[in-house]
Amino acid sequence: MTGTRPPAPEGERPAGPVRERRARPTYDPSSLVEVAARVFNERGYDATSMEDLSAAAGITKSSFYHHVRGKEALLRAALERALDGLFGILDEPGASSGSPLTRLRHIVRRQVEVLVAELPHVTLLLRLRGNTETERWALARRREFDSAIAALVREASGAGELRAGIDPAVGARLLSGLVNSLVDWYRPGRVAVDDLVAEVDRMAFEGLLAQKTSAPDGRPT
């Protein structure tokens, strides 16, 4: 007798403790980009190492390198997601047809939707410092987008669709500031997306003041 426990009959579990293997997380390049964007936003790009990224993903650094070339490649991919979403708006029919104001309102509303859908990636775009080639590339692309908005504000102003006396450059910056400020406080589920879009639209194009109506004799009520 050797004391070895005989195999359990088929269909029965063997007595004694059974070790369960934990399934390792599986990732593809796209999901690793999401992890990287989150960590970059939390720690800052410069302060983030590949060790930090692999720890956040729950995989080894060598496994991380199996999917991506390095930290800057992850940054580039994350920024491309944000920029592709924003520039895609400009190609939509709503951004190219109708009056300047109609197109502008469409773009602003869709900016909010893209920001919500790609919140970590847009947040990363808006916090760049321009320290690397990839960051400088993304900042240049962002300026292109902002220039397109500014041109449309000037067009709407020239068509008499905006309040008289408004500086188109200032108006464009205020619009961008309103939308971009969402990254500082918005979190998924805090406000329904449709409600958020509607509120930004009202704030941007109608303001905070209640609209006054006029009595039949022309006096304000």
Side-chain angles (χ1 to χ4, degrees):
M1 297 290 290
T2 62
T4 303
R5 181 177 295 165
E10 187 176 351
E12 295 183 13
R13 291 185 177 182
V18 177
R19 292 181 179 178
E20 294 183 2
R21 292 183 177 179
R22 288 186 178 181
R24 291 185 177 181
T26 58
Y27 285 98
D28 57 24
S30 178
S31 57
L32 289 177
V33 168
E34 294 181 4
V35 171
R38 173 173 57 81
V39 178
F40 290 156
N41 284 328
E42 291 172 353
R43 300 177 61 90
Y45 175 74
D46 293 334
T48 301
S49 66
M50 286 299 291
E51 286 81 3
D52 296 325
L53 295 172
S54 59
I59 59 177
T60 64
K61 191 164 68 169
S62 60
S63 296
F64 219 113
Y65 276 118
H66 176 73
H67 294 288
V68 297
R69 295 190 305 276
K71 191 174 78 165
E72 192 152 358
L74 287 165
L75 177 66
R76 173 94 181 200
L79 295 173
E80 283 177 345
R81 282 186 58 163
L83 289 164
D84 287 349
L86 292 173
F87 276 93
I89 298 171
L90 302 182
D91 294 330
E92 294 173 355
S96 57
S97 61
S99 71
L101 181 59
T102 298
R103 284 180 275 145
L104 184 61
R105 294 185 80 155
H106 172 84
I107 292 172
V108 169
R109 293 173 69 92
R110 289 286 292 120
Q111 271 186 272
V112 176
E113 292 175 342
V114 168
L115 185 146
V116 170
E118 301 289 353
L119 183 60
H121 308 94
V122 176
T123 300
L124 187 60
L125 174 65
L126 296 177
R127 293 178 178 173
L128 293 181
R129 296 181 178 179
N131 294 335
T132 68
E133 181 180 349
T134 294
E135 291 178 84
R136 290 188 288 273
W137 162 81
L139 288 172
R141 290 286 285 159
R142 180 183 164 191
R143 285 192 292 269
E144 288 180 37
F145 183 83
D146 291 343
S147 294
I149 304 303
L152 192 50
V153 170
R154 285 194 295 272
E155 189 177 347
S157 179
E161 294 182 307
L162 300 181
R163 176 171 52 81
I166 189 170
D167 184 320
V170 172
R173 286 185 176 276
L174 290 174
L175 280 177
S176 294
L178 173 61
V179 176
N180 294 340
S181 69
L182 298 179
V183 304
D184 293 325
W185 64 267
Y186 176 79
R187 296 297 177 268
R190 178 172 292 184
V191 181
V193 177
D194 289 346
D195 292 340
L196 183 63
V197 170
E199 286 300 330
V200 170
D201 179 84
R202 279 192 287 267
M203 186 71 70
F205 298 103
E206 298 174 20
L208 285 170
L209 298 180
Q211 298 298 312
K212 295 181 179 180
T213 58
S214 297
D217 60 2
R219 293 178 301 171
T221 59

